[in-house]
Amino acid sequence: MTQGFFISFEGGEGAGKSTQIRRLAERLQAAGHDVVVTREPGGSPGAEAIRELLVNGAADRWSPVTETLLMYAARRDHVERVIRPALARGAVVLCDRFADSTRAYQGAGGDAPASLIASLEDHVLSGTVPDLTLILDLPAEIGLERAEARGGAARFESKGLAFHERLRAGYLEIARREPERCVVIEANADIDAVTAAISRTVDQRLER
Ligand code: TMP
């Protein structure tokens, strides 16, 4: 059976994921890969409908546990209908956020229990996990400034600096625990330098 390659992009607000994903997709397509670009929450019609509930409204509209359950309902639909079929036909899947966002935002940033999140990963993803995760890291304050200038998923941006500092630390902890899967990319740098760092890492992994 063909098996594709699953890359997730992670990081706080304003880390520059979308630009970098677009650049990587263009480069991989030019090299002849079948590339699927997708995002979370969302990526399938059902999951995009759930996204509307998650990214709009007041910061306290949902508790972290409720958010976790909505994220996983959306994620399951996305995995079943988009990610697994793409990987099965041998595509490279570039996903803007995946399961680590729940660990960071609802777990480290909020108070959703790590045991709940681990159990959902186990039962809901059933093995569909990224081959490579690129964590775009930058100080929370700078990311929030960038995100505000751009306008975007306002509900999570409005949760305050302390929340965003906790989730940044959460991401760095994930990378420390899973160094085989995760690579931290310095994102407080020139946009072309970030692209070059990502290209190097992806090329090395795809060659393996
Ligand atoms: P984005 O499309 O700008 O990245 O917005 C999605 C927002 O949803 C972002 O603020 C992060 C948040 N989020 C979570 O809190 N948990 C998750 O599991 C995912 C995928 C996203």
Side-chain angles (χ1 to χ4, degrees):
M1 195 186 94
T2 11
Q3 184 57 31
F5 198 80
F6 182 10
I7 305 177
S8 62
F9 285 73
E10 294 283 358
E13 308 299 320
K17 290 183 281 90
S18 323
T19 307
Q20 296 300 336
I21 290 171
R22 198 171 55 243
R23 287 183 169 195
L24 179 63
E26 282 166 7
R27 208 173 62 81
L28 293 175
Q29 269 155 358
H33 290 281
D34 173 3
V35 180
V36 172
V37 175
T38 188
R39 69 162 181 188
E40 288 210 344
S44 62
E48 289 289 335
I50 297 172
R51 178 188 173 93
E52 291 303 308
L53 298 172
L54 279 160
V55 301
N56 297 313
D60 63 356
R61 180 180 187 186
W62 310 109
S63 75
V65 169
T66 312
E67 272 172 10
T68 300
L69 298 172
L70 287 169
M71 290 292 176
Y72 266 89
R75 185 161 297 136
R76 177 69 191 199
D77 192 65
H78 184 215
V79 164
E80 283 176 359
R81 292 169 195 260
V82 176
I83 297 179
R84 277 186 198 148
L87 293 173
R89 68 163 198 266
V92 178
V93 174
L94 306 183
C95 192
D96 188 341
R97 302 191 179 282
F98 194 66
D100 296 314
S101 280
T102 307
R103 292 196 205 172
Y105 278 75
Q106 283 67 49
D111 61 1
S115 58
L116 170 68
I117 295 172
S119 157
L120 286 166
E121 285 182 12
D122 200 23
H123 293 284
V124 177
L125 301 181
S126 8
T128 304
V129 292
D131 298 294
L132 171 65
T133 296
L134 299 167
I135 298 175
L136 274 57
D137 180 61
L138 83 173
E141 218 168 333
I142 295 174
L144 280 174
E145 271 170 25
R146 285 195 198 170
E148 257 165 46
R150 160 202 82 187
R155 187 169 162 260
F156 286 96
E157 282 163 29
S158 70
K159 283 180 181 266
L161 186 59
F163 172 86
H164 291 277
E165 278 169 349
R166 286 200 300 282
L167 77 87
R168 181 191 187 196
Y171 274 126
L172 295 175
E173 177 63 15
I174 293 169
R176 198 184 62 73
R177 287 199 191 170
E178 295 183 62
E180 268 301 298
R181 174 174 67 89
C182 302
V183 176
V184 177
I185 305 282
E186 164 66 68
N188 191 17
D190 177 74
I191 190 168
D192 293 328
V194 178
T195 303
I198 291 173
S199 299
R200 268 196 308 277
T201 306
V202 170
D203 288 351
Q204 273 169 11
R205 296 295 178 111
L206 282 176
E207 275 165 23
R208 273 194 197 169

